[in-house]
Amino acid sequence: MMHSDNKNLLQNLFKSAYQSCLAEQAMPTHLSTIEYSDKVCIIGAGKAAAEMAAAAHAYFGDACYGTVVTRYGYETEKDTGAIEVLTAGHPSPDENSLLAGKKLLNLVEQTPNNIPVVFLISGGGSALACVPVDGLEFSEKLAVHQFLVKSGASITEINTVRKHLSALKGGKLAAVCRSSMTSLILSDVVGDDMSVIASGPTVIDHTTPQQALDILTKYQYPVSGKLEQILSRGTRVDTKHLHNTQNVIIANANVAIDAAANQAHQLGIKTHILSYDIEGDAQQVAKAHAAIALEYKRKGERILLLSGGEMTVKAKNATGEGGPNQEYMLAMAMELDGISGICAISCDTDGVDGSKDVAGAFIDESTLTRASKQGLSPDSYLYNHDSYHFFDQLDDLIITGPTNTNVNDFRAIYVNGMAD
C-alpha cells in the first residue's frame, strides 16, 4: 500500500474509534434512568460538554435547563434549549474557567431538592471549571497547574493536587447538592478511576492534603508559605450528600479501541490489542511498541496493533511544541529507522494533542527519508520536544477538529510482514 492508502486506512480506524463514543450514542440509555416530575437541572464540564448538553436536550426537551462549559471552539450547532453553553481555557484554565466554575457551583447550590441534577463530565473538565479554595488566588492555582503539566507528572498526580486546591473538585460540588445527582462520564483516564476524571467533582476523595504536598515536593515546585498552610489545614467535605450521587461511565477507551478492532476485522486484518490503559513516558512507550512491531515483521505477519492509555512528556526546559502522541510517533519513527511494511498513527480522541489543535501524527517507512530531503533532524526535534513542527513540515499531522468526545489516546500500528 502507498503512503496515502496506509494513512487513510489508519485515519478511518481512528475515526471509527472516537465516533463510537459520541454522546448521542452513549447517553440516551442512561438518561432513561433519571426520575423527574417537572424539571431536570443539567450541568457539565469538559470538551464534550456541548454535545452532551445537546443529547440531554434531545432527550428531555423543555424539561431541562442549566449550564455547561466546554473548550473554546468546541461549541455545538445542535440545539441545547435552555442549557447555556459557556467556553473557557484548556489545557490551562483562564478567567472564564473561574467564572464557569462559580456558575456551576451556584447553580447546584440553588437547585431545590425536588429537581434532579445531571452532571455531564468529560475530559478537560478540571481546567474548564476552576474555583480555588478559600485563601488561594486563582493566579497561584494556575501557576501550580502549568508547572505540573510540564513536569512529567501523571494525570493522577496532577488531579490529586488540583482537588486539594479546589472548591468544587474532589467531591465538593456534589457535597453542596440538595437533590439527587447523576454524573454521566466520558472517561479519559486510564483505569476509569472516577475520582480522577475531571478531578472527581462528584466522587468521594480518598487522597490527602499531605499527598498533594508530597507531589509538589517530588517535582520540586517552589511551595509558598501560604500554599503550604492551605494544604496543611486541608478542606473538609460533607460526604452525606455524596451518598445520593450516582456516577456512571458511559464510554471509555475500551469502547473506542474495540470499535477500531471490529472495523479492522471487517477488512480482513488480524488485530492484537496491546493494552487499553498504557501509561508512561511517550518515548519509552514508543521504543517498547516498536520492538513488538519489529518482532511481528520478522515473523512475516500481517497484523494491526492497537492500544489506549495516557502518555506523558517531560518537557520542563523544552522550547518546542507538540503533545505525547506526536512525540510517540517521532520516537517510533527513529526506532523503526525506515524499515518497510510498518506504519502507525497516534492521536488523542478529543482532537487535541498538546498545545496545538491537532489530534496527533502518522508515520511510515518514508518518514525519515522525506525528513532528510527537507534537512530535518529527527534527533534535534525530539530533543527539543518539537514534534509538532517536525510533522507539520512533512504534512503528516492528523487534524480532525473537535471530535465531540474524549476517551484518551488511540494508537494503531499496522505491520505488513509480507512487504519488502
Side-chain angles (χ1 to χ4, degrees), residues 205-247:
D205 180 29
H206 296 291
T207 67
T208 66
Q210 184 59 50
Q211 287 175 316
L213 194 56
D214 289 344
I215 290 167
L216 292 174
T217 301
K218 173 183 175 181
Y219 292 101
Q220 299 180 332
Y221 181 77
V223 178
S224 67
K226 181 173 69 174
L227 184 57
E228 185 173 9
Q229 185 180 26
I230 287 171
L231 287 173
S232 296
R233 75 166 187 249
T235 53
R236 195 167 172 276
V237 178
D238 184 354
T239 60
K240 68 175 182 290
H241 292 296
L242 272 68
H243 296 295
N244 200 25
T245 300
Q246 282 191 313
N247 296 289

Side-chain angles (χ1 to χ4, degrees), residues 8-9 76 193 289 299 304 344 398:
N8 287 336
L9 168 66
T76 180
D193 185 343
H289 286 185
K299 292 187 290 187
L304 183 75
I398 304 299

Side-chain angles (χ1 to χ4, degrees), residues 225-386:
K226 181 173 69 174
L227 184 57
E228 185 173 9
Q229 185 180 26
I230 287 171
L231 287 173
S232 296
R233 75 166 187 249
T235 53
R236 195 167 172 276
V237 178
D238 184 354
T239 60
K240 68 175 182 290
H241 292 296
L242 272 68
H243 296 295
N244 200 25
T245 300
Q246 282 191 313
N247 296 289
V248 184
I249 301 286
I250 62 172
N252 59 11
N254 300 45
V255 173
I257 291 169
D258 286 348
N262 289 336
Q263 183 177 338
H265 291 157
Q266 291 173 18
L267 296 172
I269 302 172
K270 179 182 175 183
T271 64
H272 175 195
I273 297 174
L274 298 175
S275 176
Y276 293 106
D277 53 7
I278 290 170
E279 290 184 293
D281 178 77
Q283 293 188 35
Q284 296 304 314
V285 175
K287 289 180 180 179
H289 286 185
I292 296 171
L294 288 169
E295 180 61 19
Y296 275 110
K297 168 69 178 176
R298 186 188 65 78
K299 292 187 290 187
E301 292 198 37
R302 179 173 177 256
I303 195 166
L304 183 75
L305 308 175
L306 296 166
S307 64
E310 182 84 359
M311 299 176 296
T312 55
V313 173
K314 295 180 181 178
K316 268 187 180 180
N317 302 312
T319 56
E321 294 181 285
N325 290 281
Q326 295 161 78
E327 178 142 332
Y328 167 89
M329 284 284 83
L330 179 51
M332 177 168 284
M334 293 173 64
E335 200 71 19
L336 295 174
D337 197 26
I339 191 168
S340 65
I342 301 178
C343 61
I345 193 173
S346 184
C347 295
D348 197 315
T349 53
D350 64 7
V352 179
D353 179 47
S355 59
K356 293 289 187 178
D357 287 346
V358 299
F362 168 85
I363 64 165
D364 68 1
E365 61 200 62
S366 72
T367 297
L368 297 187
T369 301
R370 289 183 291 122
S372 179
K373 288 180 179 179
Q374 294 190 43
L376 306 178
S377 168
D379 288 285
S380 177
Y381 280 92
L382 190 60
Y383 178 79
N384 290 313
H385 301 287
D386 198 17

Side-chain angles (χ1 to χ4, degrees), residues 166-188:
S166 172
L168 57 83
K169 299 176 177 71
K172 299 185 187 79
L173 183 65
V176 302
C177 182
R178 291 178 287 169
S179 63
S180 64
M181 177 178 279
T182 301
S183 292
L184 301 182
I185 304 167
L186 285 173
S187 172
D188 70 331

